[in-house]
């Protein structure tokens, strides 16, 4: 499903000569960054700047559809190439491995097997067994190994076969990944990316259907992002690899086969920004990962009923992009958070607190947060369906909110 | 204890792949037939058996298991040391310069730790401080053989590892005082010593969590050599940890990975028999840790950790093996800490007789005796080294006293390498651009 305002032609490229050091503290706010390397300049897409401008333009027009149809996207529909989300991840990964020989992958079955979700397919044949390392089943230790390698100059990507398995690596992620930059007084950086699929799938059982975003969000020193489309999957993967901070990239088991047309040119997205999916007037719906699609489905129904929801994919789970969210809240005055995370102590809970703290005066109604039920995901299909937020619930929540 | 040739370089040899004939030991855990080594008697009364008088560590070759020495396996040759021992050669193990270097390093370690205790009781440092007294031979024996680019990973008992690796005493002391001039800007403390310049990557508070990091550093070294094709990348990594850690899963997982990929790492077990108040024998089904190496297909060596020259011999071999690319070694150093687990530990559980026995094997006095008996140095030279170290430490304390405490602005500086990680604030600017950020008062 193509998202609005992310066509190739819509971004202003910087010239090749202006290269900004993204590590500098003082950054020009909200301008596009371009990183030029030996291959020429690449374009960074900053969705917010374009979208807000476009949104103000579109304010006067009626929005006939909840989602962009093929015809609405700009001329880019003809250029670019179509691929599935896992292929987009692989493309991003491969481009980064090509660009920097220090980038390596480690995880279970990433090498010869090609990754349990085929994200690393073909890479071991191309780059060798040491660069795409098949590890034994020892999450704690190979995550720690990734951290040690990152401290000594490599840029590893650790794949958890399922995010739930990272529970075994919690010691290393919390104590070492998040903290070592600080406890070493800034001497060592840990440019590691920890990624893997999580979320509720199709009757995978409780332990393979975990949403661990909430567990990791308190760890100081790490960033968390969640991808939801092939476009942002590739962009976030590349951004995460290039970042000097440790980044946890959450993918979703059910989204790997999403198809989308993405640009041919190289692009890197910002790790800290949210994505405007559908601008609107009546209510702000904040979501991420798979729930984005449930929300867009509900949005179709809502539009037919006469509502105009603004949908934002927050993408950055830690830290929150309070600017995009804030601008939206100031416009609509009503917030609905839809997430797959656990209710207690989840991303939604933190987001509710952050919005209340910062934008309380702009709210006309209490923030409504729809999360999964606080139950271990049942195996039975019907029960599993009721664990997760469904579009019907979203529709009724918006109706109640907008009364 | 004399350092004649019969005593030196007698690592408990274990070949890779050959099963030791000590299977009978596991059937009755309290009837170990320790080959002349009295050290495992360090257990509570009820577990003690046959208290033997302190034996000289001379182990005639014939009484050893028929297994060959570690070098044997890799070279396929008869081990040189036993040949020498059989013929009663007295080998010149170290030169005068080396001896003085070792002595100075051990004295620095000992005096530094004693100064730490003083400063702690005077209220200059707080928290958990774990002192290394008695174990200096292990740190000096291993680390003094390393190059600057080699990596060392330690645990919370890391002051002396830092000093041996070359971190200045000033930097370590002010880190302990929590000052901004400390090696980690005062943010790490006693248990988190880091130095990028000297390749000391920690300092870890939880036992075992440094071992995977060390494995990663070794992986990095192998990666540089084989993928990045840097011919000079033959750096080795030393991971120091204790006997308590050897019951932890991370230890075994890393032994497996290191042996599997032949990583240039040496696992150094500082077996001081006690994990706070838990005797090693009470916690471990098979207390001979060196045996766990061959189980994973790597060389396992046991060495007397109170004897710096023996440790150095074993270390040399292990480091050379790792540099060649022949894989890891597990070295168990039998050692002892003269003080409690930390400065907060009353140390009432350990038997005074055991402590006295080990105090008699003080590595510093042993080296001193060796150097004087072998005419490598005289009293005067050694005394002048001690005086020099006293001055170094006085200077370190003075420097630390006068150093400034970290200012508030330091609070948020090192959380992220790229401070954009604090995200975008409600005003649209990155939080790190907020002036309050640099003052440390920003709300993030």
């Amino acid at each position: 499903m193509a998202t609005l305002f992310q066509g190739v032609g819509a971004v202003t490229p910087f010239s090749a000569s202006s290269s900004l050091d993204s590590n500098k503290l003082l950054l020009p706010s909200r301008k596009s960054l371009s990183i030029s390397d030996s291959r020429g300049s690449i374009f960074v897409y900053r969705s917010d700047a374009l979208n807000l401008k476009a949104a103000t333009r579109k304010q006067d027009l009626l929005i006939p559809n909840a989602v962009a149809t093929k015809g609405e996207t700009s001329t880019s529909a003809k250029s670019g190439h179509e691929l599935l989300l896992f292929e987009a991840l692989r493309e991003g990964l491969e481009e980064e491995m090509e660009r920097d020989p220090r980038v390596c992958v480690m995880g279970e079955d990433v090498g010869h097997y090609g990754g349990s979700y085929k994200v690393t397919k073909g890479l071991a044949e191309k780059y060798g067994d040491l660069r795409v390392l098949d590890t034994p089943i020892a999450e704690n230790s190979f995550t720690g190994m990734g951290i040690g390698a990152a401290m000594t100059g490599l840029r590893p990507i650790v794949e958890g076969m399922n995010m739930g398995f990272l529970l075994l690596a919690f010691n290393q992620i919390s104590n070492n990944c998040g903290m070592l930059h600080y406890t070493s007084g800034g001497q060592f950086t840990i440019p590691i990316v920890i990624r893997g699929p999580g979320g509720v799938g199709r009757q995978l059982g409780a332990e393979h259907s975990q949403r661990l975003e909430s567990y990791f969000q308190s760890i100081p020193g790490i960033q968390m992002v969640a991808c939801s489309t092939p476009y942002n999957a590739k962009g976030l993967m590349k951004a995460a690899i290039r970042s000097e901070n440790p980044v946890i990239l959450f993918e979703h088991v059910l989204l790997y086969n999403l198809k989308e047309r993405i640009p041919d040119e190289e692009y890197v997205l910002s790790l800290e920004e949210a994505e405007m999916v559908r601008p609107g007037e009546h209510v702000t719906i904040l979501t991420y990962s798979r729930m984005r699609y449930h929300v867009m489905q509900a949005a179709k129904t809502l539009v037919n009923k006469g509502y105009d929801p603004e949908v934002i994919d927050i993408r950055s789970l830690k830290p929150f992009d309070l600017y995009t969210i804030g601008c939206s809240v100031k416009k609509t005055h009503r917030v609905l958070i839809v997430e797959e995370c656990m209710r207690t102590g989840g991303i939604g809970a933190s987001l509710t607190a952050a919005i209340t703290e910062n934008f309380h005066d702009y709210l006309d109604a209490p923030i409504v947060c729809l999360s999964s039920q606080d139950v271990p995901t049942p195996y039975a299909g019907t029960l599993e369906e009721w664990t997760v937020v469904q579009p019907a619930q979203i529709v009724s929540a918006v109706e109640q909110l907008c009364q | 204890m004399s350092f004649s040739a019969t005593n030196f370089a007698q690592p408990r040899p274990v070949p890779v792949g050959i099963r030791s004939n000590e299977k009978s030991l596991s059937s009755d855990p309290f009837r170990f037939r320790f080959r002349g080594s009295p050290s495992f008697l360090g257990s509570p009364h009820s577990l003690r058996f046959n208290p033997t008088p302190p034996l000289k560590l001379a182990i005639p070759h014939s009484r050893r298991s028929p297994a060959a020495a570690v070098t044997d396996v890799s070279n396929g040759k008869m081990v040189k040391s036993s040949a020498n021992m059989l013929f009663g050669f007295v080998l010149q193990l170290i030169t005068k310069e080396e001896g003085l270097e070792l002595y100075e390093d051990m004295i620095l370690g000992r005096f530094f730790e004693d100064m730490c205790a003083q400063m702690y009781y005077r209220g200059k440092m707080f928290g958990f401080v774990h002192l290394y007294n008695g174990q200096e031979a292990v740190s000096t024996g291993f680390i003094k053989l390393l190059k600057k680019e080699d990596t060392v990973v330690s645990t919370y008992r890391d002051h002396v590892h830092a000093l041996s690796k070359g971190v200045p005493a000033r930097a370590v002391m002010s880190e302990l005082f929590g000052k901004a001039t400390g090696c980690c800007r005062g943010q790490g403390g006693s248990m988190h010593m880091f130095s990028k310049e000297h390749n000391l990557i920690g300092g870890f508070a939880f036992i075992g969590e440094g071992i995977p990091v060390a494995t990663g550093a070794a992986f990095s070294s192998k990666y540089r050599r084989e993928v990045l094709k840097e011919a000079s990348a033959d750096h080795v990594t030393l991971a120091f940890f204790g006997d308590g850690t050897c019951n932890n899963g991370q230890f075994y997982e890393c032994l497996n990975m290191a042996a599997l990929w032949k990583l240039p790492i040496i696992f150094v077990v500082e077996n001081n028999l006690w994990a706070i108040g838990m005797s090693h024998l009470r916690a471990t089904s098979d207390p001979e840790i060196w045996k766990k190496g061959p189980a994973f297909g790597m060389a396992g060596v046991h060495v007397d950790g109170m004897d710096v020259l023996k440790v150095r011999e074993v270390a040399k071999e292990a480091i050379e093996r790792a540099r060649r690319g022949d894989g890891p070694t597990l070295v168990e150093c039998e050692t002892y800490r003269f003080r409690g687990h930390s400065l907060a530990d009353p140390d009432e559980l350990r038997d005074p007789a055991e402590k006295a026995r080990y105090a008699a094997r003080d590595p510093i006095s042993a080296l001193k005796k060796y150097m004087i008996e072998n005419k490598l140095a005289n009293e005067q030279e050694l005394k002048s080294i001690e005086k020099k170290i006293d001055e170094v430490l006085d200077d370190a304390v003075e420097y630390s006293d006068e150093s400034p405490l970290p200012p508030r602005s330091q609070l948020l500086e090192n959380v992220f390498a790229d401070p954009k990680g604090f995200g975008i604030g409600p005003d649209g600017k990155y939080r790190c651009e907020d002036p309050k950020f640099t003052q440390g008062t920003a709300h993030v």
Side-chain angles (χ1 to χ4, degrees), chain A residues 22-30 33 46 101-104 106 127 130-131 133-154 171-172 175-176 178 180-190 220-223 243-246 270 272-273 318-324 326 330 357-359, chain B residues 151 175 183-185 187-189 192-197 199-204 206-224 226-228 248-251 253-254 256-257 260-261 263 410-433 437-438 443:
Chain A
S22 57
N23 285 336
K24 278 209 203 103
L25 252 174
L26 294 172
L27 296 158
S29 47
R30 315 309 277 173
L33 295 170
R46 294 280 290 251
R102 297 169 303 161
V103 176
C104 56
M106 38 182 94
Y127 294 109
L130 208 57
R131 240 185 127 178
L133 186 73
D134 276 322
T135 59
I137 305 174
E139 277 79 8
N140 200 11
S141 297
F142 70 70
T143 307
M145 197 171 94
I147 293 166
M151 286 169 82
T152 45
L154 299 185
N171 179 12
Q172 292 294 334
N175 279 344
N176 289 346
L180 284 186
H181 184 69
Y182 195 79
T183 48
S184 67
Q187 290 181 82
F188 290 99
T189 57
I190 307 173
I222 56 157
Q223 282 186 253
S243 172
E244 293 300 317
N245 298 332
S270 166
E272 298 86 27
E273 279 182 38
K318 178 181 192 282
F320 294 130
D321 177 2
L322 285 181
Y323 181 65
T324 310
K330 288 177 189 170
E357 249 173 31
N358 288 290
F359 308 114
Chain B
T151 308
E175 181 64 29
C183 55
C184 301
R185 306 179 82 195
Q187 290 166 191
H192 305 282
M193 293 286 169
F194 288 84
S195 169
K196 183 138 183 129
E197 191 195 332
N199 287 303
L200 172 71
I201 55 176
F204 292 93
F206 286 20
I207 59 157
E209 70 178 358
I211 307 178
V213 175
T215 311
F219 176 81
S220 220
S221 172
K222 186 180 169 90
Y223 188 96
R224 278 177 203 284
E226 296 187 12
V227 176
L228 300 179
N248 191 286
Q250 289 171 99
F251 169 60
E253 289 174 3
C254 291
N256 178 43
M257 293 199 288
L260 181 66
W261 297 317
L263 299 180
Q410 206 181 298
L411 182 65
L412 301 170
E413 263 171 26
N414 299 123
V415 180
F416 287 105
D418 178 1
K420 295 213 307 276
F422 281 115
I424 300 167
D427 56 359
K429 294 214 275 257
Y430 274 95
R431 286 209 160 92
C432 51
E433 296 167 16
F437 182 88
T438 44
H443 173 66

Side-chain angles (χ1 to χ4, degrees), chain A residues 359-378:
Chain A
F359 308 114
H360 183 256
D361 286 336
Y362 296 96
L363 290 171
D364 280 348
I367 303 173
V368 177
C369 180
L370 296 177
S371 328
S372 301
Q373 301 289 325
D374 269 351
V375 299
T377 316

Side-chain angles (χ1 to χ4, degrees), chain B residues 67-145:
Chain B
V70 177
T71 35
D72 217 38
V73 180
S74 33
N75 303 351
K77 303 197 288 271
M78 259 312 288
V79 55
K80 292 194 282 275
S81 54
S82 62
N84 289 329
M85 183 202 59
L86 284 173
F87 290 109
F89 285 155
V90 175
L91 233 85
Q92 188 67 343
L93 294 165
I94 46 168
T95 63
K96 176 177 177 148
E97 289 74 33
E98 286 170 354
L100 291 177
E101 188 195 357
L102 296 179
Y103 189 78
E104 184 170 333
D105 194 54
M106 293 209 284
I107 287 285
L108 174 62
R110 177 69 59 88
F111 284 19
F112 187 93
E113 298 293 69
D114 285 338
M115 184 64 85
C116 276
Q118 250 191 64
M119 292 297 119
Y120 188 84
Y121 293 126
R122 280 196 210 166
K124 301 276 187 74
M125 57 176 89
F126 301 93
F128 292 129
V129 179
H130 308 84
L131 299 181
Y132 201 73
N133 297 49
Q135 300 181 195
E136 294 88 0
V138 181
S139 176
T140 302
F142 269 95
I143 300 180
K144 282 305 167 194
L145 290 170

Side-chain angles (χ1 to χ4, degrees), chain A residues 207-275:
Chain A
E207 290 177 20
H208 281 83
S209 313
Q210 295 193 68
R211 289 79 73 200
L212 299 183
E213 303 88 74
S214 54
Y215 292 16
F216 293 122
Q217 67 173 320
S218 306
I219 302 174
I222 56 157
Q223 282 186 253
M224 300 200 310
V225 285
C227 63
S228 48
T229 65
Y231 178 79
N232 63 32
K234 180 176 172 186
L236 289 176
M237 170 72 99
K238 288 170 72 85
I241 296 173
R242 290 192 196 190
S243 172
E244 293 300 317
N245 298 332
V247 179
I248 304 185
L249 171 58
F250 289 91
E251 301 152 13
H252 197 286
V253 276
L254 292 180
L255 298 183
Y256 278 125
N257 287 322
L258 278 181
K259 195 185 267 202
E260 190 186 359
R261 172 151 260 149
I262 64 168
D264 287 325
E265 296 85 11
E266 205 181 349
Y267 66 94
V268 180
L269 294 175
S270 166
L271 287 174
E272 298 86 27
E273 279 182 38
E275 187 179 312

Side-chain angles (χ1 to χ4, degrees), chain A residues 49-98:
Chain A
L50 343 153
N51 293 329
L52 290 177
K53 265 209 289 199
T56 44
R57 273 205 322 271
K58 286 250 177 180
Q59 238 170 9
D60 312 316
L61 304 173
L62 224 103
I63 303 167
N65 298 311
V67 299
T69 50
K70 275 268 152 58
E72 250 187 324
T73 47
S74 50
T75 49
S76 65
K78 301 297 168 241
S79 61
H81 54 284
E82 228 178 31
L83 40 53
L84 305 175
L85 195 143
F86 74 87
E87 288 170 345
L89 286 168
R90 186 171 70 224
E91 215 176 76
L93 183 51
E94 200 167 343
E95 280 174 21
E96 289 305 302
M97 287 181 82
E98 198 63 52

